[in-house]
Amino acid sequence: MAAPWEDVLRDRPAIQEAAAVAVDAALLQGVLMRTEGQPNASDVVNFAPFTLLPSAVPSALFEQAYAVQQDFNMLVDAISQNKEFLEHTLASTIKVDDFTARLFRIYTQVLEEGLAQSVFLGINRSDYMFDCGVDGPPALKQIEINTIAASFGGLTSRTVAVHGQVLKVLGKPQEASRLPPNNPSRGLALGIAKAWELYGSPSAVVMFLVEKVQRNIFDQRCVENELWNRNIRVIRKRFRDVFEKGSLDEARRLYMDGQEVAVVYYREGYVPSNYDEQNWEARLLLERSRAVKCPDIATQLAGTKKVQQELSRPGTLERLLPGHAEAVTRIRATFAGLYSLDMGAEGDKVAAMAIADPDRFVLKPQREGGGNNLYGEDLRQVLEKIRDSPQRTSYILMDKIKPRPAMNYLLRAHSPLQESECISELGIFGVYVRRGSELVLNKAAGHLLRTKAVEHADGGVAAGVAVLDTPYLV
Ligand code: ADP
Ligand code: MG
């Protein structure tokens, strides 16, 4: 994956001109974020960070990632319906990880009461890097799958036009015409609209459950607008609003301020800091309700790192997806080495292996949102401290993926224009709707490419490390 732009990268005046055009194009296209200083007001906004140039992505791997997405949708959906698997897989984790334990408690509670809704809506994003090992050809390896609040489907729908214009400014109109079109926000809205329709009450609304800090509101608005265009009402609420004003009727229909809610779309609720006691109560109310939840709590649990690790055990995929041998093969081909740190001889061996060679691995807790993983010397120190304690089971171990870096410019508001050595992560959005036992919709909905400087081991766009990008297929 040599950078396809080597000729222009060194032409500093051309780069400077292109960067100025790029920033204005991003603003015009709506690649926007609220500012750190005023995260909840749109009076002052800025462009969301993005690369000056689109990054090279091998087309075979791009196609492979799309081709496996329906399989992953089916897999996540199957896991969410498999109580025995979730119970068994998360047994060790919930003993030591309070957050997962709390989610799990709500999961058991709603199952005991009986589910009030038989329609399920899944929106996920499966993320990959292109592993080159020491010096091999790139291979598609999954980093993780996000089953709740997977973001940037909106803003990334708008980066293609920006990068297309940059390439034209740099004298590459041919290349500009080759950027693959992308519109995840439409695909996500299609799924939400389908769930809304199956809910079957034309006056009911879709509720976006949003965080306290809403810097990324424009990303969500892209999806909202697609729903409004279909004449579906959208409201934006927080857990706090649900706690104060949400209620269930005798059929467990969910009402907010007297409005019936057909679909709850979580852009919140994925990290411990999203919850206080009242918010946990609100979450329970939502899960008990008849509204379609995106995701329901079982699907959120299906996206934990612990589940990801257990999926890589020989025989597990076959058990979860009987009769789908080809899907199993496609899914397994994307797995990197994943290792359990459960107590016992297997976990002891894994801990010793990681401590002996920490640079080969990543140590991951059950957290989302970037910035939580441990690498290198930190990994070694933490694991040495907890290697004999059950605390180690709150983590999983994963082979470190080694993509080949390429040069690019990362454009950020108030930052000088500077060339960086970068690596990229490709995400594919998946959408599915199930009614009872029938998958009525199962689709890949678009892609997201995020790029960061190599010196950052971890962190996404929201965390201020990665920036939005567009794949240039090679
Ligand atoms: P989170 O839920 O916090 O997003 P991820 O598993 O996606 O957790 O890890 C966060 C980031 O860490 C990724 O975006 C990627 O940059 C890096 N990372 C995660 N796993 C690996 C891996 N196995 N090899 C190399 N980098 C990784
Ligand atoms: Mg991630």
Side-chain angles (χ1 to χ4, degrees), residues 195-262:
W196 174 85
E197 182 196 314
L198 292 177
Y199 181 86
S201 171
S203 62
V205 304
V206 170
M207 177 164 78
F208 280 44
L209 202 81
V210 298
E211 288 182 276
K212 185 171 180 184
V213 172
Q214 296 173 37
R215 271 193 81 188
N216 202 18
I217 190 167
F218 300 108
D219 182 52
Q220 301 166 2
R221 292 284 197 211
C222 293
V223 184
E224 279 176 47
N225 288 353
E226 292 279 350
L227 292 167
W228 283 108
N229 289 344
R230 290 174 166 75
N231 286 319
I232 298 173
R233 276 194 93 73
V234 179
I235 58 173
R236 298 172 60 84
K237 297 288 171 190
R238 294 185 40 209
F239 273 133
R240 174 58 44 97
D241 304 314
V242 175
F243 177 80
E244 285 169 0
K245 296 186 198 134
S247 63
L248 304 187
D249 72 4
E250 70 291 344
R252 284 195 262 156
R253 280 183 283 254
L254 173 67
Y255 287 87
M256 284 295 299
D257 292 324
Q259 273 178 313
E260 185 176 1
V261 178

Side-chain angles (χ1 to χ4, degrees), residues 129 143-144 305 362 364 367-370 372-373 375 398-401 425 452 457-459:
M129 281 184 172
I143 295 288
E144 63 158 345
K305 309 278 192 287
V362 182
K364 298 190 174 188
R367 291 290 170 272
E368 303 295 329
N372 303 297
N373 300 336
Y375 303 82
M398 185 173 182
D399 282 345
K400 192 198 269 177
I401 293 165
E425 185 170 340
K452 63 182 184 184
D458 205 324

Side-chain angles (χ1 to χ4, degrees), residues 74-384:
M74 193 168 60
L75 175 64
V76 170
D77 186 48
I79 296 167
S80 78
Q81 296 171 75
N82 193 328
K83 178 161 185 266
E84 197 193 339
F85 175 77
L86 281 174
E87 239 166 30
H88 181 250
T89 299
L90 295 171
S92 56
T93 311
I94 61 179
K95 279 189 200 138
V96 289
D97 187 80
D98 291 341
F99 181 62
T100 312
R102 195 93 201 230
L103 293 171
F104 198 83
R105 229 193 299 159
I106 293 181
Y107 167 63
T108 350
Q109 216 171 324
V110 294
L111 279 187
E112 268 164 27
E113 187 182 17
L115 301 180
Q117 180 55 261
S118 59
V119 174
F120 295 85
L121 165 63
I123 291 180
N124 61 56
R125 200 189 66 223
S126 181
D127 290 337
Y128 308 89
M129 281 184 172
F130 314 116
D131 190 21
C132 294
V134 181
D135 201 17
L140 186 77
K141 290 296 160 193
Q142 187 182 49
I143 295 288
E144 63 158 345
I145 187 158
N146 302 281
T147 61
I148 180 168
S151 58
F152 291 109
L155 296 189
T156 196
S157 305
R158 293 151 187 260
T159 59
V160 189
V162 178
H163 284 122
Q165 193 173 345
V166 167
L167 289 180
K168 285 181 194 166
V169 168
L170 291 169
K172 297 186 178 293
Q174 215 68 32
E175 288 84 345
S177 67
R178 286 187 43 211
L179 299 173
N182 191 28
N183 196 347
S185 47
R186 181 166 305 155
L188 305 195
L190 206 81
I192 297 173
K194 185 76 197 164
W196 174 85
E197 182 196 314
L198 292 177
Y199 181 86
S201 171
S203 62
V205 304
V206 170
M207 177 164 78
F208 280 44
L209 202 81
V210 298
E211 288 182 276
K212 185 171 180 184
V213 172
Q214 296 173 37
R215 271 193 81 188
N216 202 18
I217 190 167
F218 300 108
D219 182 52
Q220 301 166 2
R221 292 284 197 211
C222 293
V223 184
E224 279 176 47
N225 288 353
E226 292 279 350
L227 292 167
W228 283 108
N229 289 344
R230 290 174 166 75
N231 286 319
I232 298 173
R233 276 194 93 73
V234 179
I235 58 173
R236 298 172 60 84
K237 297 288 171 190
R238 294 185 40 209
F239 273 133
R240 174 58 44 97
D241 304 314
V242 175
F243 177 80
E244 285 169 0
K245 296 186 198 134
S247 63
L248 304 187
D249 72 4
E250 70 291 344
R252 284 195 262 156
R253 280 183 283 254
L254 173 67
Y255 287 87
M256 284 295 299
D257 292 324
Q259 273 178 313
E260 185 176 1
V261 178
V263 179
V264 179
Y265 173 46
Y266 289 97
R267 293 294 295 253
E268 149 84 316
Y270 53 96
V271 282
S273 61
N274 290 154
Y275 294 93
D276 58 18
E277 280 310 311
Q278 296 186 339
N279 292 4
W280 280 116
E281 269 191 50
R283 179 74 196 258
L284 178 61
L285 185 91
L286 296 177
E287 293 301 321
R288 291 184 55 231
S289 82
R290 194 187 187 121
V292 179
K293 277 78 60 182
C294 180
D296 71 327
I297 199 141
T299 304
Q300 182 174 359
L301 289 168
T304 52
K305 309 278 192 287
K306 182 61 188 173
V307 165
Q308 180 189 5
Q309 171 259 302
E310 283 298 313
L311 291 177
S312 75
R313 272 188 205 282
T316 304
L317 289 176
E318 285 81 354
R319 262 194 296 126
L320 289 165
L321 294 177
H324 293 282
E326 287 177 3
V328 164
T329 306
R330 281 189 295 264
I331 291 172
R332 184 165 291 130
T334 69
F335 285 173
L338 288 146
Y339 313 91
S340 165
L341 284 160
D342 281 0
M343 301 311 283
E346 180 197 347
D348 290 347
K349 234 159 102 190
V350 168
M353 169 177 85
I355 287 166
D357 200 355
D359 288 329
R360 258 185 61 204
F361 303 101
V362 182
L363 186 64
K364 298 190 174 188
Q366 310 304 310
R367 291 290 170 272
E368 303 295 329
N372 303 297
N373 300 336
L374 294 162
Y375 303 82
E377 189 52 26
D378 296 337
L379 179 161
R380 197 185 57 76
Q381 281 182 16
V382 167
L383 210 45
E384 274 200 329

Side-chain angles (χ1 to χ4, degrees), residues 440-470:
V440 295
L441 188 152
N442 180 8
K443 277 189 157 63
H447 55 269
L448 165 72
L449 191 71
R450 292 173 299 167
T451 293
K452 63 182 184 184
V454 287
E455 51 268 29
H456 298 286
D458 205 324
V461 180
V465 172
V467 308
L468 301 172
D469 198 348
T470 298

